[in-house]
């Protein structure tokens, strides 16, 4: 059927919100960045580095929904050599959902530590078979080698790391290949490894999008041509929780956990201990629906509390296109805050954790309303990119609509980093950060890690029908840093869920271990802290998921510290 102009378009636009998007600012425009801005001595600066990968989502004139949703990426150390490697998910034939051509291959690149990446996909056995969207990294069997879960269109995949440079597809063996008894096969876009019951085993949270059928795609028009449909054209589906049995298998605990009662159109999952009670909570973005917030009540039980926590909707109550999210402490008060991105005219909402069992939206006060209003975002990463002790926010940018809408919408956009000025205030750096040195694109997934061992966090980004992008951090400062590579013993081996407090002469800051990040992506490097001008940390306090609290004193800066959980 024919759907009226605009209201039919996927995810919605500014005309459907209470905001009107102004023209792009110079520093945000793909083409209007001035030479002076390009050469400004910005406090955060990146340089583009190519990598031999192109994301192919098999775009067709029929505008099938999965075509615009591809692009998860992971940064992780697959071979335990201390250097972070890169894994890209890729699409497939949209009709068959099979990788029937080499152009659809997933790709694993090994890092030599000097800026060179070698394709080792074939040797590793990771080319894949289906239409893969998201990636989640975690050591589910505690053998010291990182495993890979792929979220995909009606087929998920679990790859076990054999600790010898190869991986084995163990999806069926793990019990993760069974269709849902009510909905049948589900289209998942993201996942997160979280030890929900603190038993020392990583459990799997799978984020499902919507019910889609290639043979019954709605016919939606926008600006006089067929384009991707609004999510209201498709039924919602529930998210899933799979509890780790400890023997290589998983049990579907979605009903007892409380997930099943709250179907949605999930886009991302961000995990953190919001109340500091020792249990990881989950914030889930939904597309043109209320967000979900699952409070962890222990024993694998969750309570959906998005309204009570004040994160269900933007403060004016308008549904937005909730894309990726991150969940970390932005104001150094010890409580993790929530940031998510959406489309132009919708803003990028920012929720400050009050520390009193809820959140307050500070999007306007932080400057984010004004800065983000013209932008379409997909994947945010909260990290300290200039090592000044305040976490910044990188956002991969690009619209959901096809290139056919380029005359009416800003479809291809450059990326942006929002520098944290302290006091929950931010400045948007686009051209200033170097992002306009490469053509704008429809960016999707993003992951963060120190790829060259210089103590500055780099970024890897994907884009539809375009090359992958590595952005090397070349911020010019003498700021110090520390990273902590955790090794759980009683807790899960990755230490996912561990909270770290770090104190220097300048004050305290906080971070926690999680590999879930942004949209459909995974950042699995050590936990990073910028120290500013301080050359050491006077105190480091690690709260392990097991309940053990470990203290380190007078830790020298500018190094990766391996911390093994004590047995006490």
């Amino acid at each position: 059927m024919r759907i009226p102009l605009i209201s039919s378009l996927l995810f919605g636009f500014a005309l459907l919100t209470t905001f009107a998007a102004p023209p792009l600012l110079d520093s945000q425009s793909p083409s209007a960045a001035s030479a002076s801005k390009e050469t400004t001595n910005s406090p955060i600066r990146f340089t583009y580095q190519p990598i031999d990968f192109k994301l192919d989502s098999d775009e067709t004139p029929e505008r099938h929904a999965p075509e615009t949703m591809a692009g998860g990426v992971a940064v992780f150390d697959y071979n335990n050599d201390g250097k972070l490697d890169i894994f890209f998910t890729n699409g497939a034939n949209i009709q068959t959902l099979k990788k029937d051509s080499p152009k659809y291959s997933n790709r694993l690149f090994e890092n030599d530590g000097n800026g060179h990446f070698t394709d080792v996909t074939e040797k590793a056995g990771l080319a894949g078979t289906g239409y893969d969207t998201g990636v989640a990294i975690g050591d589910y069997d505690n053998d010291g080698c990182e495993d890979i879960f792929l979220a995909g269109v009606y087929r998920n995949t679990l790859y076990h790391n054999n600790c010898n440079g190869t991986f084995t597809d163990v999806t069926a063996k793990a019990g993760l290949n069974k269709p849902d008894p009510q909905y049948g096969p589900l289209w998942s876009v993201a996942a997160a490894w979280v030890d929900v019951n603190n038993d020392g085993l990583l459990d799997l949270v799978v984020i499902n999008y919507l019910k889609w059928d290639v043979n019954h795609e709605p016919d939606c028009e926008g600006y006089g041509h067929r384009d991707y449909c609004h999510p209201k054209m498709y039924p919602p589906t529930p998210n899933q929780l799979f509890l780790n049995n400890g023997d290589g298998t998983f049990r579907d605990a979605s009903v007892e956990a409380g997930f099943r009662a709250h179907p949605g159109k999930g886009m991302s999952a961000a995990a953190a201990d919001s109340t500091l009670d020792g249990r990881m909570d989950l914030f889930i973005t939904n597309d043109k629906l209320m967000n979900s917030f699952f409070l962890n009540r222990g024993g694998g039980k969750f309570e959906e509390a998005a309204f009570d926590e004040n994160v269900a909707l933007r403060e004016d109550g308008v549904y937005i296109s909730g894309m990726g999210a991150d969940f970390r402490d932005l104001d150094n008060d010890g409580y993790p805050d929530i940031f998510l991105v959406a489309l132009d005219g919708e803003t990028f909402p920012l929720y400050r954790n009050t520390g009193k069992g809820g959140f307050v939206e500070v999007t306007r006060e932080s400057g984010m309303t004004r800065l983000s209003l013209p932008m379409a975002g997909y994947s945010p990463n909260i990290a300290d990119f200039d090592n000044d002790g305040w976490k910044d926010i990188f956002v991969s940018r690009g619209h959901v609509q096809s290139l056919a809408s380029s005359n009416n919408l800003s479809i291809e956009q450059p990326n942006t980093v929002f520098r944290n000025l302290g006091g929950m205030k931010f400045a948007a750096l686009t051209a200033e950060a170097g992002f306009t040195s490469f053509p704008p694109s429809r960016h999707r997934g993003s992951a963060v890690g120190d790829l060259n061992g210089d103590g500055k966090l780099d970024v890897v980004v994907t884009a539809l029908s375009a090359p992958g992008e590595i952005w090397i951090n070349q911020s010019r400062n003498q700021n110090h840093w520390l990273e902590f590579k955790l090794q759980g013993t009683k807790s899960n081996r990755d230490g996912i869920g561990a909270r770290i407090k770090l104190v220097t002469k300048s004050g305290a800051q906080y971070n926690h271990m999680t590999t879930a990040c942004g949209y459909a992506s995974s950042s699995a490097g050590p936990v990073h802290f910028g120290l500013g001008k301080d050359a050491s940390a006077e105190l480091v306090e690690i709260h392990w998921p097991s309940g053990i609290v470990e203290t380190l004193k007078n830790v020298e800066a500018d190094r990766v510290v391996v911390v093994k959980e004590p047995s006490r």
Side-chain angles (χ1 to χ4, degrees):
M1 63 179 174
R2 292 284 175 184
I3 308 299
L5 177 65
I6 299 297
S7 65
S8 68
L9 295 181
L10 185 65
F11 310 105
F13 301 125
L15 293 177
L16 298 179
T17 72
T18 58
F19 289 108
L24 291 177
L25 304 179
D26 282 349
S27 64
Q28 298 158 347
S29 168
S31 58
S34 66
S36 61
K37 286 180 178 176
E38 290 277 0
T39 58
T40 297
N41 187 20
S42 172
I44 301 177
R45 181 77 180 176
F46 293 89
T47 299
Y48 167 77
Q49 176 177 317
I51 188 167
D52 184 21
F53 170 76
K54 182 179 180 180
L55 176 61
D56 195 321
S57 63
D58 194 23
E59 293 185 87
T60 64
E62 290 74 31
R63 306 299 181 210
H64 296 295
E67 297 167 9
T68 193
M69 299 286 287
V73 59
V75 170
F76 75 118
D77 185 1
Y78 89 97
N79 56 0
N80 286 334
D81 65 354
K83 296 180 280 288
L84 294 177
D85 311 297
I86 301 172
F87 178 83
F88 292 102
T89 63
N90 209 347
N93 182 311
I94 194 66
Q95 292 291 332
T96 65
L97 301 181
K98 294 181 179 180
K99 296 186 188 295
D100 55 12
S101 167
K103 68 180 182 178
Y104 298 127
S105 173
N106 301 326
R107 302 282 289 281
L108 174 66
F109 290 89
E110 184 176 334
N111 182 3
D112 71 353
N114 296 311
H116 300 105
F117 292 86
T118 303
D119 188 338
V120 294
T121 309
E122 185 175 351
K123 174 187 173 183
L126 290 174
T129 57
Y131 201 114
D132 299 313
T133 301
V135 54
I137 302 296
D139 182 2
Y140 74 87
D141 58 351
N142 291 332
D143 65 355
C145 301
E146 299 284 11
D147 308 300
I148 303 174
F149 177 81
L150 298 184
V153 184
Y154 301 151
R155 187 188 191 281
N156 299 328
T157 309
L158 178 63
Y159 287 104
H160 176 259
N161 190 331
N162 301 320
C163 298
N164 61 2
T166 69
F167 291 78
T168 300
D169 182 343
V170 295
T171 315
K173 178 182 176 182
L176 296 173
N177 65 332
K178 302 171 184 176
D180 185 270
Q182 178 181 348
Y183 294 84
L186 293 169
W187 169 13
S188 61
V189 297
W193 291 104
V194 183
D195 184 359
V196 301
N197 49 13
N198 288 343
D199 65 352
L201 299 169
L202 288 179
D203 308 300
L204 183 64
V205 176
V206 179
I207 305 304
N208 296 308
Y209 189 39
L210 41 75
K211 195 67 179 173
W212 167 82
D213 183 350
V214 69
N215 297 313
H216 298 89
E217 190 74 69
D219 184 358
C220 302
E221 280 199 3
Y223 302 109
H225 61 268
R226 185 162 181 166
D227 218 320
Y228 298 111
C229 290
H230 192 287
K232 70 182 180 182
M233 304 302 297
Y234 309 87
T237 57
N239 300 309
Q240 295 165 292
L241 171 64
F242 295 94
L243 292 180
N244 192 333
N245 294 321
D247 59 359
T249 67
F250 293 80
R251 177 175 66 86
D252 189 341
S254 308
V255 174
E256 62 197 75
F259 284 15
R260 189 76 177 190
H262 302 279
K265 297 174 183 179
M267 290 278 283
S268 65
D273 181 358
S274 67
T275 60
L276 311 188
D277 64 357
R279 297 188 291 264
M280 293 282 272
D281 308 305
L282 295 164
F283 175 76
I284 298 172
T285 60
N286 282 301
D287 195 0
K288 284 296 185 180
L289 293 174
M290 290 177 288
N291 300 315
S292 300
F293 191 87
F294 288 98
L295 273 172
N296 191 335
R297 294 306 191 189
K301 309 288 186 182
F302 288 83
E303 175 189 353
E304 206 293 306
F307 262 111
D308 292 341
E309 296 288 310
N310 195 38
V311 295
L313 295 166
R314 205 172 59 186
E315 58 189 355
D316 58 1
V318 172
Y319 286 165
I320 65 171
S321 312
M323 305 298 207
D326 210 346
F327 194 173
R328 295 183 189 270
D329 182 13
L330 282 162
D331 55 358
N332 289 345
D333 67 351
Y335 290 89
D337 310 296
I338 294 174
F339 180 80
L340 69 149
V341 297
L343 295 186
D344 49 303
E346 296 180 337
T347 74
F348 298 168
L350 174 59
Y351 299 95
R352 182 178 64 81
N353 192 329
T354 65
K356 301 176 182 178
F359 295 79
V360 59
E361 185 177 347
V362 294
T363 314
R364 193 175 299 276
E365 297 91 324
S366 69
M368 195 61 69
T369 296
R370 174 180 57 85
L371 296 172
S372 67
L373 199 58
M375 301 180 180
Y378 242 92
S379 184
N381 302 97
I382 296 175
D384 189 352
F385 292 106
D386 56 359
N387 286 336
D388 67 350
W390 295 94
K391 298 181 195 67
D392 315 293
I393 309 172
F394 171 86
V395 174
S396 73
R397 290 171 52 195
H399 214 286
V400 298
Q401 296 308 132
S402 71
L403 291 175
S405 294
S406 294
N407 290 335
N408 304 95
L409 298 167
S410 180
I411 301 298
E412 296 176 301
Q413 299 186 19
N415 301 309
T416 294
V417 63
F418 295 90
R419 187 181 183 227
N420 192 335
L421 305 177
M424 276 294 197
K425 304 289 184 183
F426 294 86
L429 305 176
T430 302
E432 300 89 338
F435 291 124
T436 55
S437 64
F438 191 72
S441 197
R442 291 173 292 167
H443 296 106
R444 292 299 184 257
S446 63
V448 170
D450 182 2
L451 297 175
N452 54 8
D454 66 353
K456 298 184 178 76
L457 292 174
D458 312 300
V459 186
V460 183
V461 190
T462 66
L464 292 183
S465 302
E469 301 171 11
I470 298 176
W471 291 96
I472 298 298
N473 190 337
Q474 295 188 337
S475 303
R476 298 176 182 175
N477 60 58
Q478 301 300 315
N479 291 339
H480 297 285
W481 57 277
L482 268 172
E483 289 191 344
F484 297 91
K485 183 174 176 57
L486 305 182
Q487 293 182 359
T489 54
K490 188 175 180 182
S491 302
N492 66 85
R493 174 62 184 249
D494 289 331
I496 288 176
R499 292 185 290 111
I500 303 178
K501 175 183 179 180
L502 182 145
V503 180
T504 66
K505 293 178 181 178
S506 301
Q509 54 176 300
Y510 306 81
N511 208 340
H512 67 278
M513 179 60 194
T514 177
T515 65
C517 70
Y519 171 72
S521 297
S522 202
S523 297
V527 182
H528 182 93
F529 288 87
L531 272 60
K533 302 306 178 185
D534 297 318
S536 66
E538 298 176 346
L539 173 71
V540 177
E541 194 174 85
I542 303 172
H543 294 252
W544 293 90
S546 64
I548 292 172
V549 180
E550 184 173 3
T551 300
L552 311 175
K553 295 183 178 180
N554 300 318
V555 182
E556 215 174 298
D558 304 326
R559 60 196 180 109
V560 179
V561 181
V562 178
V563 183
K564 187 173 183 178
E565 182 182 18
S567 56
R568 66 180 185 276

